[in-house]
Amino acid sequence: KEIISSMYAERMGQLPPYLFARIDEMKAAKIRSGVDVIDLGVGDPDLPTPGHVVEALCEAAHEPRNHHYPSYAGMETFRTAVADWYRSRFSVSLDPGKEVLALMGSKDGIAHIPEAFVNPGDYVLAPSPGYPVYRTSTLFAEGNVYEMPLLAKNQFLPDLSAIPEKVAKAARLMFLNYPNNPTSAVTLPGFFEEAVDFALDQEILIVHDNAYSEIAFDGYQAPSFLSTEGAMETAIEMHSLSKTYNMTGWRIGMACGNPDIIAGLARVKTNVDSGVFDAVQKAAIAALTGPQDCIRDACRTYQERRDVLIKGLGALGFEVQAPKATFYVWMEVDDCMQFATRLLDEAGIVVTPGVGFGSGGDGYIRFALTRSTGRIQEAVDRMGDLVS
């Protein structure tokens, strides 16, 4: 075992243990010891995939023609459904042949995009806190990560003017993500335009992670980055059906935008995977083109859960803003690791310590609204016993 460990590539030493895998291990240990664990950690929807999507998969899985290797880029019908959905939802026009690429979930695209555009030593601008794969994908490409702090005083938007000129000139990619995981922040008017101007001026490519656009509350509608003037010159957007249609385990998503960036990503992917199972793509088509009331129903459910949690935390003396989007609640605490550990050890509640999303997340914890209102209320009650 020691011999094998000594043979790990040097880049492995730069990779922290994947946060959510470690949380799963800790949760499993508690369950084995007999603790009734309430998991508000990992953002995996507890709501089922819509029935008509499941039926489409079953029907397609019985077709022998779907049992062969799929198209690397994705079925033409899937890419057309994506383009139609973007036109209907965001008023963004896409060429399904050149500006849409099927992904095995948005994580797939995020993990591989630096390999197409980042040389050893190049910088990648990544939000901190932010989805951990922004950082790890950069490290696999032997790039340098420059963390853009997301601060409450800036409403969790990066201050692009604070990026050192030397870093900006050496940067190849910038990751953005709104609605944001983990802070649940939404973009403000003018920020996407500022980001496009910055990227065009510095010759930087933007990858916008828009996985949470459809999980929104109180009448808020999240925009697509691609609807920003000039975005198609320098950006792509990663999207996923995981959160929108409760399809996290299905592994289906899409990259959309600038055709040259799409081509670069596709070139990497054709060398490392063989595409998405056609039956899953046909189920995704059913999701994108079928009835959308499932999204409205899910948002109502998450909003009810949000309101229970926000009210409960407020009654315990915590100051927490009700998010307009995502199914996360981001709360400031004195010591995130200590707070999260105490919740698990003494109350059987799993939350995510903010530092796991980068140094910018230190001093926060993230709650996921992926359990019933009853379980969320029980979690609040357990917390009350701790702070009383």
Side-chain angles (χ1 to χ4, degrees):
K1 184 176 180 180
E2 291 181 2
I3 293 175
I4 299 297
S5 297
S6 69
M7 296 173 66
Y8 284 163
E10 291 181 4
R11 69 177 66 88
M12 295 289 284
Q14 302 179 59
L15 300 178
Y18 191 56
L19 173 68
F20 302 119
R22 177 59 182 146
I23 289 174
D24 277 349
E25 292 173 3
M26 296 169 64
K27 180 181 74 172
K30 283 293 179 183
I31 292 173
R32 285 195 300 270
S33 69
V35 175
D36 175 26
V37 172
I38 301 175
D39 187 357
L40 304 179
V42 179
D44 189 357
D46 62 321
L47 305 176
T49 304
H52 68 281
V53 178
V54 177
E55 290 172 8
L57 172 75
C58 294
E59 182 179 340
H62 283 290
E63 296 180 17
R65 62 182 177 179
N66 293 328
H67 300 170
H68 302 287
Y69 283 123
S71 161
Y72 285 109
M75 299 172 65
E76 182 179 354
T77 49
F78 170 71
R79 288 180 280 122
T80 298
V82 169
D84 290 344
W85 185 80
Y86 255 81
R87 184 180 301 107
S88 172
R89 171 63 178 85
F90 299 115
S91 298
V92 170
S93 295
L94 296 169
D95 178 347
K98 298 179 180 179
E99 297 174 341
V100 179
L101 177 69
L103 301 174
M104 290 181 283
S106 56
K107 183 177 182 180
D108 168 29
I110 292 166
H112 288 113
I113 191 70
E115 295 174 8
F117 294 99
V118 176
N119 292 312
D122 287 341
Y123 273 95
V124 171
L125 311 177
S128 181
Y131 185 43
V133 185
Y134 305 149
R135 178 181 182 85
T136 55
S137 65
T138 301
L139 296 178
F140 274 126
E142 300 183 56
N144 296 316
V145 178
Y146 178 83
E147 293 189 346
M148 300 183 294
L150 304 186
L151 305 176
K153 67 179 182 180
N154 295 331
Q155 295 176 286
F156 299 107
L157 296 171
D159 181 359
L160 302 182
S161 67
I163 298 172
E165 184 176 351
K166 181 179 178 181
V167 171
K169 289 187 177 301
R172 301 295 294 272
L173 287 177
M174 176 195 294
F175 285 110
L176 294 174
N177 166 220
Y178 293 96
N180 184 259
N181 172 28
T183 70
S184 72
V186 298
T187 190
L188 297 179
F191 174 71
F192 281 174
E193 288 79 4
E194 178 187 355
V196 167
D197 290 343
F198 180 86
L200 291 173
D201 184 57
Q202 299 293 342
E203 298 183 353
I204 293 171
L205 305 181
I206 291 180
V207 177
H208 183 242
D209 177 3
N210 203 17
Y212 294 91
S213 67
E214 305 313 292
I215 309 302
F217 318 117
D218 305 322
Y220 177 74
Q221 283 195 315
S224 165
F225 190 85
L226 300 180
S227 63
T228 309
E229 184 176 355
M232 288 292 291
E233 298 178 45
T234 190
I236 62 171
E237 185 162 81
M238 305 289 188
H239 220 296
S240 170
L241 279 71
S242 290
K243 276 57 178 195
T244 304
Y245 299 102
N246 309 319
M247 296 174 70
T248 52
W250 298 59
R251 308 319 304 143
I252 180 73
M254 55 276 204
C256 305
N258 180 278
D260 295 323
I261 305 177
I262 293 292
L265 175 58
R267 188 171 178 182
V268 171
K269 281 179 52 57
T270 56
N271 282 280
V272 297
D273 70 65
S274 297
V276 179
F277 182 30
D278 279 353
V280 171
Q281 292 189 61
K282 288 192 173 183
I285 293 169
L288 292 168
T289 62
Q292 302 298 296
D293 55 321
C294 54
I295 300 176
R296 293 187 291 271
D297 292 344
C299 288
R300 277 195 295 268
T301 297
Y302 291 132
Q303 184 166 336
E304 289 173 4
R305 297 174 180 182
R306 178 201 69 173
D307 294 345
V308 168
L309 182 59
I310 294 294
K311 180 180 178 181
L313 292 173
L316 295 178
F318 296 103
E319 293 186 14
V320 190
Q321 279 197 327
K324 292 182 179 179
T326 79
F327 46 54
Y328 302 121
V329 171
W330 188 239
M331 187 176 85
E332 188 171 8
V333 294
D334 290 334
D335 184 319
C336 65
M337 288 300 297
Q338 184 182 71
F339 194 95
T341 300
R342 188 181 178 207
L343 281 184
L344 181 58
D345 287 343
E346 300 181 31
I349 301 169
V350 177
V351 297
T352 307
V355 73
F357 298 99
S359 60
D362 196 12
Y364 291 86
I365 61 169
R366 190 194 74 177
F367 296 90
L369 302 171
T370 50
R371 292 295 179 266
S372 69
T373 53
R375 290 293 271 175
I376 289 174
Q377 184 60 58
E378 183 177 352
V380 170
D381 294 341
R382 292 186 192 181
M383 288 179 63
D385 293 337
L386 286 183
V387 301
S388 60

